[in-house]
Amino acid sequence: MPSELPPLYPIGLQHGLVLGAALFAVGMAGALTKRNAIAILMAIEVMLNGVMVTFVTFARHIPGIDLGGQIFAMFVLTVAAAEAAVGVAIIITVYRLRRTISVDQADTLRG
Amino acid sequence: MSQVAWIIPAAPLVAFLAIAFGARRSPVASGWLTILGVLVATVVSFVVLGEALAGVRVDQTYAWLPVPSGPAFPLGFQVDPLTATMLIVVSTVSLLVQIYSVGYMHGDAGYARYFGFMALFTMSMLGLVLANNLLAIYIFWELVGLCSYLLIGHWHERPEAAQAAKKAFIVTRLGDFGFLVGIVFLFAQTGTLQVSALANLAASGGLVDPALTVGILLVFAGAVGKSAQFPLHVWLPDAMEGPTPVSALIHAATMVAAGVYLMARTFPILEHSPTALTVVATVGAFTALFMATMGLVSTDIKRVLAYSTASQLGYMMLGIGAGAMAAGMFHLVNHAFFKALLFLCAGSIIHLVNTNDLFEMGGLRRWRPVTFVAMTVAALSLAGIPPLSGFWSKDEILGAAAGVHPVLYLAALVTGFLTAFYMFRAVFLAFAGTSRGDAHAHAEPASMTIPLLALLVPTVVSGFWGAPFLGNPFGAFLEGYGEGHGLAATFHFDVAALSTLLGVGGVLLAWAMYGGGNLHRGRAVAARVRPLYEIVANRYYVDHVYNWVAGRLVLGIAWLASQFDQTVVDGVVNGIGTVGVASGATLRRVQSGQVQLYAWVLFAGVVAIAVALVLPMLTGGRV
């Protein structure tokens, strides 16, 4: 049914890529500047989302790759969920040990 | 028996090994083992001499080190007149010295060690004499040098003895190095080290000048070191720090004579180089005179004998250099017996008075009549008084020297006069007059007296082996080794008379100055020629020069090298280390442990790569 109607705004390749890049940049900025480990974890999720948007966009606009982009996005989604679980577990452990989740304080590997 | 002549060195070797691996716990057993081993060697040596006199000649060679592309290095032995003669000298003197040592070294803490090394030395010396190629000779050559070092330093807790041992080892090493270079050189030139093969090459023109002269002079360098010839003579007087029987065996009769023996052994090569012959004769004559003058002023009885030994070895070198190899060897044989006797006599009186200083002796004939007689006879022999052994061989050498150059002849004659004088100066100082020290009678063990009497026999009679009125059997025995220029020296009545007169003159002069056991005449003469006396008493400052060279020059160069090592070489190594450490210290700051910083760097890297990839696209390849 939607395919019979002309789109209100034609959403092209560039729209998707710009959105993906913007999400990635926002996530990147968050990951690099936040001190709270949970915030960083969330920022990384945003970066992953940006990547997934890019994948799906390419899958829609490049003929011949079928559902490859979508499948990749599903993988990223799965891995991101697992990563979030592991990440939060690490953060809880760090908190128990050091009573803080500020990444500035977690510098025992300093050379 | 000559076919199995290797038994001769093997017997003392077995004794040495037995002492080294067990018997040393029992000093008495060690002494007897060595005596037994040397006795076997002596008996076999006499059998071998008998066979050699009957005309038996053996030359056996075995491959030792096979070389993949080239001739194998051989080991082997020969029995010829030269070897047979030396075997007798070495084994007999060694046997008597071992017996003497039983008494002399009695109660010494290192008694077993002493006899062990004596056995090792005897083995090495006998092996050296039997070896038929230069490489094998060199191996034994180094072994006798090692034994000499070990035995000079027998009383190593005394610093002088330890120093003397080191000095002997290092100084002879200078000559040994020349010998080694000579061996390598001759091998490179000819591909063989068999003395007989080298001799054939020299005779047939296969080995010609300058290689011939260079090679044989390098070999002579080894002989100069071992036989204490100028300028490597400085170690021998100091070597007297060793026990007196060691001096008698090693530093009078055998090892120091090894240099002379080496030149006799290589004589068939040497004789084809007139230059080398001249060098040998000149070095010999100079050493003979040079060392004799030092003997005039020494007050240490053993040092007098040491100077005399070097001087007499010079005589032998002169004989060989003059082309009279048989005469040199004849003197070697006679000298070995009477000089060993002189040393054993010196040991006998040192044992009595506990000092080497002639000025603290005097009147000893009362306590040691046997020693007095033996020493006088040996000294007369050394002075060349007929009919004792020294006269006959010395006369042959004088005759040969007269036939080569008047200067050599004159040097030999003057040496003869000085020899007679300094020997009887020592004899009179020790035995004449009354005691100047604190000698007190105590009996001498028979094991020390018997060797003196035994050595008196060859001292008196060994000269007749080469006596001209018997047709010089010794010269005839060695005839044919080398082509020989005047090998069988003829008897010159005028030479004999002159040398005898000079010998008697020397003895009489010594009697006039020291006969009564007085020191004042000698001191008066010394005072009159004070500057000259000082030079001679300081051994012509040769040791000072060497010390200066070693102390200032060598240590200066060593200091420079050390500085270079410490600053430049170590600087490079330490510098590399410092660079590593410093760069590590700097780079570790990067590892802040801040994960976000790592992420920043990662991001910056990706951006940089992206820019590098994208920029060319935007500019169409034009940067």
Side-chain angles (χ1 to χ4, degrees), chain B residues 490-524:
Chain B
T490 46
F491 186 76
H492 303 281
F493 183 77
D494 49 343
V495 173
L498 187 55
S499 80
T500 308
L501 272 178
L502 284 169
V504 171
V507 175
L508 290 178
L509 183 61
W511 173 256
M513 281 176 71
Y514 299 100
N518 290 324
L519 302 179
H520 62 266
R521 286 204 201 95
R523 288 197 172 132

Side-chain angles (χ1 to χ4, degrees), chain A residues 28 31-35 40 103-104 106-107 110-111, chain B residues 588-589 591-596 598-600 602-603:
Chain A
M28 184 92 204
L32 291 180
T33 53
K34 286 291 174 188
R35 293 290 173 264
I40 290 172
V103 289
D104 284 357
D107 59 353
R110 181 167 57 189
Chain B
R588 65 183 289 204
R589 306 236 179 94
Q591 300 290 328
S592 62
Q594 301 283 351
V595 185
Q596 279 179 311
Y598 302 165
W600 266 111
L602 196 69
F603 177 61

Side-chain angles (χ1 to χ4, degrees), chain B residues 4-132:
Chain B
V4 289
W6 52 265
I7 289 175
I8 296 169
L13 178 64
V14 169
F16 164 71
L17 292 175
I19 293 168
F21 295 106
R24 67 196 155 101
R25 287 189 195 87
S26 161
V28 178
S30 302
W32 281 110
L33 267 171
T34 298
I35 291 177
L36 189 67
V38 178
L39 180 65
V40 171
T42 310
V43 170
V44 179
S45 296
F46 271 98
V47 175
V48 166
L49 176 66
E51 293 184 357
L53 283 169
V56 174
R57 301 287 180 269
V58 177
D59 195 341
Q60 292 187 9
T61 304
Y62 309 93
W64 173 45
L65 280 180
V67 178
S69 57
F73 284 108
L75 280 186
F77 68 93
Q78 88 263 291
V79 173
D80 63 1
L82 207 53
T83 296
T85 310
M86 283 299 287
L87 285 176
I88 295 299
V89 172
V90 175
S91 60
T92 314
V93 175
S94 177
L95 180 64
L96 294 172
V97 167
Q98 309 308 337
I99 295 169
Y100 182 89
S101 302
V102 171
Y104 191 85
M105 300 299 286
H106 182 77
D108 191 274
Y111 189 86
R113 173 165 52 91
Y114 171 86
F115 274 102
F117 289 149
M118 277 300 223
L120 181 64
F121 171 78
T122 308
M123 181 286 278
S124 316
M125 192 66 211
L126 291 167
L128 192 155
V129 170
L130 277 164
N132 69 354

Side-chain angles (χ1 to χ4, degrees), chain A residues 4 11 16 27 32 38-39 41 70 72 77 88 98 105 107 109:
Chain A
E4 288 163 18
I11 298 176
L32 291 180
I38 294 187
L41 215 54
Q70 281 91 334
F72 232 110
L77 208 62
V88 171
R98 311 178 67 106
Q105 314 278 314
D107 59 353
L109 278 179

Side-chain angles (χ1 to χ4, degrees), chain B residues 302-561:
Chain B
K302 286 185 71 183
R303 280 178 183 258
V304 171
L305 293 176
Y307 293 129
S308 163
T309 302
S311 169
Q312 294 300 308
L313 290 166
Y315 239 90
M316 299 169 206
M317 287 293 187
L318 168 61
I320 290 177
M325 187 274 275
M329 279 303 293
F330 187 36
H331 197 53
L332 190 164
V333 173
N334 295 335
H335 174 261
F337 290 123
F338 65 64
K339 187 53 70 65
L341 177 55
L342 282 170
F343 265 107
L344 294 188
C345 289
S348 165
I349 56 180
I350 291 168
H351 207 241
L352 175 70
V353 297
N354 274 323
T355 176
N356 287 8
D357 194 341
L358 284 164
F359 287 179
E360 290 176 25
M361 295 179 182
L364 298 182
R365 69 183 180 284
R366 220 164 305 146
W367 287 286
R368 288 283 183 273
V370 175
T371 308
F372 171 58
V373 171
M375 189 148 181
T376 308
V377 173
L380 283 171
S381 182
L382 175 55
I385 308 297
L388 299 169
S389 62
F391 166 75
W392 304 105
S393 49
K394 198 168 154 182
D395 187 65
E396 276 190 40
I397 292 176
L398 282 170
V404 175
H405 200 282
V407 173
L408 298 178
Y409 180 51
L410 188 66
L413 277 179
V414 174
T415 305
F417 173 74
L418 296 177
T419 304
F421 174 74
Y422 69 65
M423 264 332 292
F424 276 87
R425 169 179 174 269
V427 169
F428 292 140
L429 281 175
F431 292 100
T434 53
S435 174
R436 293 179 295 273
D438 53 345
H440 44 276
H442 62 89
E444 188 174 65
S447 63
M448 285 174 66
T449 314
I450 292 166
L452 299 187
L453 295 172
L455 276 171
L456 258 182
V457 176
T459 298
V460 176
V461 304
S462 71
F464 295 112
W465 197 5
F469 66 88
L470 293 174
N472 193 359
F474 184 79
F477 187 39
L478 289 194
E479 183 91 67
Y481 193 70
E483 288 162 15
H485 321 292
L487 198 65
T490 46
F491 186 76
H492 303 281
F493 183 77
D494 49 343
V495 173
L498 187 55
S499 80
T500 308
L501 272 178
L502 284 169
V504 171
V507 175
L508 290 178
L509 183 61
W511 173 256
M513 281 176 71
Y514 299 100
N518 290 324
L519 302 179
H520 62 266
R521 286 204 201 95
R523 288 197 172 132
V525 174
R528 195 167 301 165
V529 289
R530 176 61 57 187
L532 195 62
Y533 180 86
E534 284 295 321
I535 290 174
V536 180
N538 283 300
R539 310 194 218 165
Y540 296 95
Y541 297 99
V542 174
D543 287 77
H544 294 78
V545 171
Y546 287 176
N547 279 340
W548 186 84
V549 169
R552 293 287 153 77
L553 216 60
V554 176
L555 286 185
I557 294 168
W559 183 82
L560 279 178

